Amino acid sequence: MHAKRLVLVMVVAALILNASPIIAQPPPGSLRDLAARNGFYIGTAAYWDHLRDPLHRETVINEFNMLTPEQEGKACEIERGQGLYNFRSMDRLVAFAEENDMVVHGHTLVWHQCMPSWIPDHTTREEAIGFLRDYIHTVVGRYQGRVPIWDVVNEAVADGGAGLRDTPWLQWIGEDYIELAFRFAHEADPDARLFYNDYGADGMNAKSDAIYALVSDLLARGVPIHGVGLQGHITLGSTGPGGQNTPELLDANIRRFGELGLEVQITELDVSYAQPASDEVFQSMAGDYRNMVGTCLESEYCTAVVVWGVADPLSWLRSREDTVNPNMEPLLFDADYQPKLAYTAVADLLARAAGEAPLLTDEEVAALMPEEIGPVEIPEPTFSDPAQLAPDSVPGVLYYAPFPVAITLDGEMDDWAGVPRVTVDSGPTLPPNHDTAMTFAVAADDSYLYFLADVVDSSVVYGIHTPSSSWYREDGVEFYLNTTGDLAAPTYRDGIVQIGMMAANIDNPDPADPIIGGGNSADAQATIVAVRTEQGYRIEASVPLVTDVWTIVPEQGGVLGFQAHLNGASVDDRDTKLIWSIYDVQDQSYTNPSLFGQLMFWQVAP
């Protein structure tokens, strides 16, 4: 498609935080007390072994009125051999909840990442259905009347909403394994409320659309499903303007499930971030928690929020293999079980809703919430250097890409003469005394769009992580394109790509088969040349103007969505994140293309 013309006035979303940190204040009652006054559930996930710690145990008892087994309710933990069940930890958790007047949200009966290891790889459909029936009947039947809510099927929809995830259950049984699981659970406990649970679907996006279609179909066929769990594993700042989990998007998603007659719960809430902890991080996190809990509380269809863990050191986000920050503090309580600002933000929300005195002033609440910067007007094009082939960029907003310009991918700079350069040396994650910077340029000819990134970095780290999972944890650059013409698109679809160009391409002998990562990156058909330089490394790359998913026609004033990032690593993990677009203040471009800046084509005079 042809690139659309630029709208000359754009609105930029950014976080503006109060310069003075807000001090967390204890509420007059616990979270569970305040939640109960609202007829609401506030829960946590817990391990039985962690409850042996008196401080952990006391915090769970005092603060939460719903309990989710973090691990002990999963099939790989319960059924260690065919017909050999170990209910010891699950029994203890259920008894603990009953003793302390907590509702148990059972988690989870069918999940591809925690299956009984004894099931043979070559299992027939009939055998698999028998295994599934026996397991669900046994587990749900054991806790009939004691566990009123079950996550029956967990994470069955593929990322991006592209059909069902390819799991052993799908391979053995077929798509109806989901229906069978719900029917078996209902047979075992007709009074239990049965949920489908998934991540990455909190707001309105392709995956939540796919889940909506799935549960709508189940309901239409009379399958006993009663609720949807939106996990709420969100990233810092994603509930703010331009984020994928704004209150408006979350509410719209909750409402459409509710209007099907389904109950909705936020089932695994936490807030991840890559940068070092700071007052600004905790303030933004408090705003995210308040937005998520507040949206659920205000909805007639949403009945509970479960936080995925109690105190920061025990969060799963620290220990997962692909963690972006092994030291992150994503929960409501710190290492000493002291309530954080996020706790106070949630308690204040619940107190106000219950008619109690607020814990924060209105000004302090406002400081937690992201604000919009006013309109940004694009100035008339200017040339700071008469030799430039295109005008100066508008920092973080608009880059002018000259065309046609002949570029050869050889690691040399000669053919980039006259193409405007932009240096990026700031971003949300910066180590002390960092020396990393990226200077980029973009140009086009009749067949390709070309990218240049000249990186200054005293320590280039690569070859440690795989492109399929953790490519962003080592040195590399990212270029993003939105070729759809819909520059406000909040989610990825065909024609929108994130191209992670890893420094590992320095050792790659075939530029036409590059080492890349990122959303839809294969669609770009990128060719990449990377070379070492005295100051760091340099990447040159090209993508075709015509592919199976897009047609880019350079023309004067034509516009694409555009973004540039740099990932810098130290030792074996990322410690630097530089971002060009001023729209993206919390590293959200990988999920939300509306945070890109823009690229305008500029025709070079003959």
Side-chain angles (χ1 to χ4, degrees):
M1 69 179 57
H2 291 269
K4 291 190 175 180
R5 300 281 176 178
L6 179 69
V7 177
L8 293 182
V9 178
M10 300 178 291
V11 176
V12 178
L15 288 173
I16 302 177
L17 298 176
N18 192 334
S20 301
I22 301 169
I23 306 301
Q25 300 295 328
S30 66
L31 288 183
R32 71 176 292 166
D33 292 338
L34 293 169
R37 293 176 211 175
N38 287 281
F40 190 70
Y41 289 99
I42 189 81
T44 191
Y47 281 89
W48 171 251
D49 284 347
H50 294 163
L51 290 170
R52 298 177 189 275
D53 179 338
L55 190 53
H56 189 93
R57 186 184 188 94
E58 179 183 1
T59 303
V60 171
I61 292 171
N62 289 343
E63 298 293 345
F64 302 102
N65 58 2
M66 180 174 278
L67 183 70
T68 297
E70 189 164 352
Q71 189 70 16
E72 289 91 337
K74 297 172 181 174
C76 61
E77 296 290 329
I78 288 178
E79 191 173 14
R80 303 297 179 86
Q82 187 171 6
L84 300 176
Y85 295 91
N86 180 359
F87 290 110
R88 178 175 297 181
S89 293
M90 185 67 175
D91 283 350
R92 288 173 171 171
L93 279 171
V94 172
F96 169 81
E98 290 173 333
E99 291 166 5
N100 294 286
D101 196 23
M102 306 173 76
V103 173
V104 178
H105 184 131
H107 177 80
T108 173
L109 297 173
V110 181
W111 186 37
H112 63 283
Q113 289 196 23
C114 194
M115 295 180 57
S117 59
W118 57 266
I119 300 179
D121 291 337
H122 302 291
T123 295
T124 67
R125 171 179 164 86
E126 291 71 23
E127 289 172 336
I129 290 174
F131 297 152
L132 191 66
R133 179 191 298 110
D134 291 346
Y135 177 79
I136 292 175
H137 279 181
T138 300
V139 175
V140 177
R142 181 181 184 87
Y143 299 106
Q144 182 177 4
R146 302 177 68 196
V147 177
I149 307 166
W150 281 101
D151 290 333
V152 176
V153 179
N154 192 52
E155 301 175 4
V157 173
D159 291 343
L164 295 181
R165 187 183 300 276
D166 187 16
T167 70
W169 291 117
L170 181 65
Q171 296 166 12
W172 294 332
I173 298 175
E175 293 185 1
D176 60 335
Y177 85 89
I178 298 173
E179 174 182 344
L180 291 170
F182 277 94
R183 293 195 185 279
F184 295 154
H186 186 65
E187 291 168 1
D189 186 351
D191 295 325
R193 309 202 302 278
L194 308 179
F195 276 58
Y196 175 80
N197 190 58
D198 215 326
Y199 69 89
D202 310 304
M204 300 288 282
N205 56 39
K207 187 169 184 178
S208 62
D209 289 347
I211 293 170
Y212 180 81
L214 170 67
V215 299
S216 296
D217 177 66
L218 293 174
L219 288 168
R221 291 187 290 107
V223 177
I225 177 172
H226 309 109
V228 172
L230 307 176
Q231 290 186 9
H233 293 299
I234 66 172
T235 51
L236 188 73
S238 65
T239 70
Q244 61 178 333
N245 301 309
T246 64
E248 294 78 15
L249 292 173
L250 177 60
D251 179 67
N253 200 29
I254 291 172
R255 188 184 320 112
R256 65 171 170 173
F257 287 116
E259 289 173 350
L260 292 175
L262 296 172
E263 178 183 354
V264 178
Q265 295 185 0
I266 297 173
T267 53
E268 304 183 22
L269 181 60
D270 50 27
V271 180
S272 64
Y273 57 93
Q275 60 265 52
S278 65
D279 289 338
E280 290 76 15
V281 165
F282 293 140
Q283 202 158 318
S284 181
M285 181 186 296
D288 286 330
Y289 268 102
R290 188 182 182 97
N291 280 337
M292 294 292 287
V293 176
T295 303
C296 180
L297 180 65
E298 292 174 8
S299 172
E300 62 181 301
Y301 305 114
C302 193
T303 59
V305 173
V306 177
V307 180
W308 205 244
V310 181
D312 290 328
L314 300 178
S315 170
W316 75 294
L317 289 169
R318 288 192 176 191
S319 59
R320 59 184 295 184
E321 183 179 344
D322 60 346
T323 181
V324 298
N325 183 352
N327 300 309
M328 77 172 74
E329 301 172 40
L331 300 174
L332 298 179
F333 294 89
D334 66 16
D336 297 319
Y337 290 84
Q338 294 300 303
K340 294 157 57 180
L341 179 57
Y343 175 100
T344 303
V346 172
D348 175 77
L349 178 80
L350 294 170
R352 289 171 182 249
E356 301 287 341
L359 308 177
L360 299 172
T361 67
D362 292 345
E363 291 76 15
E364 288 173 328
V365 171
L368 303 177
M369 300 296 136
E371 298 179 2
E372 287 186 351
I373 297 177
V376 176
E377 294 194 14
I378 306 302
E380 289 295 318
T382 59
F383 291 76
S384 58
D385 183 344
Q388 283 180 190
L389 299 177
D392 300 331
S393 70
V394 179
V397 175
L398 175 64
Y399 178 87
Y400 292 97
F403 79 96
V405 178
I407 299 291
T408 301
L409 302 185
D410 56 8
E412 300 296 332
M413 301 281 283
D414 297 350
D415 42 6
W416 289 93
V419 179
R421 312 292 171 81
V422 173
T423 296
V424 182
D425 57 9
S426 63
T429 306
L430 300 172
N433 304 315
H434 85 101
D435 63 351
T436 305
M438 170 180 65
T439 299
F440 74 80
V442 186
D445 60 16
D446 294 334
S447 300
Y448 294 94
L449 191 63
Y450 297 96
F451 305 95
L452 168 70
D454 202 28
V455 176
V456 175
D457 190 343
S458 60
S459 176
V460 182
V461 176
Y462 63 86
I464 298 173
H465 300 289
T466 60
S468 61
S469 59
S470 303
W471 57 272
Y472 53 86
R473 296 173 64 185
E474 60 186 52
D475 281 290
V477 300
E478 303 173 38
F479 288 103
Y480 298 72
L481 291 175
N482 179 351
T483 68
T484 66
D486 179 8
L487 302 187
T491 59
Y492 276 67
R493 61 177 188 260
D494 287 350
I496 304 177
V497 295
Q498 171 195 26
I499 316 170
M501 305 179 185
M502 300 170 69
N505 284 289
I506 292 169
D507 296 334
N508 179 30
D510 185 1
D513 185 20
I515 303 171
I516 59 174
N520 294 343
S521 58
D523 292 347
Q525 301 178 24
T527 299
I528 298 175
V529 170
V531 297
R532 284 272 197 176
T533 65
E534 289 185 4
Q535 293 184 304
Y537 65 96
R538 180 179 302 134
I539 285 179
E540 286 186 296
S542 67
V543 300
L545 296 179
V546 179
T547 72
D548 294 338
V549 297
W550 69 54
T551 296
I552 301 172
V553 180
E555 58 183 1
Q556 180 67 23
V559 171
L560 303 174
F562 172 73
Q563 170 69 298
H565 284 195
L566 176 138
N567 299 311
S570 176
V571 187
D572 62 354
D573 213 343
R574 184 174 73 182
D575 64 356
T576 302
K577 184 70 175 186
L578 308 182
I579 297 177
W580 171 69
S581 169
I582 61 171
Y583 293 76
D584 185 3
V585 295
Q586 297 288 353
D587 188 15
Q588 293 287 299
S589 289
Y590 71 99
T591 61
N592 185 356
S594 72
L595 301 177
F596 297 0
Q598 297 185 13
L599 177 151
M600 175 181 281
F601 288 110
W602 189 271
Q603 188 163 13
V604 177

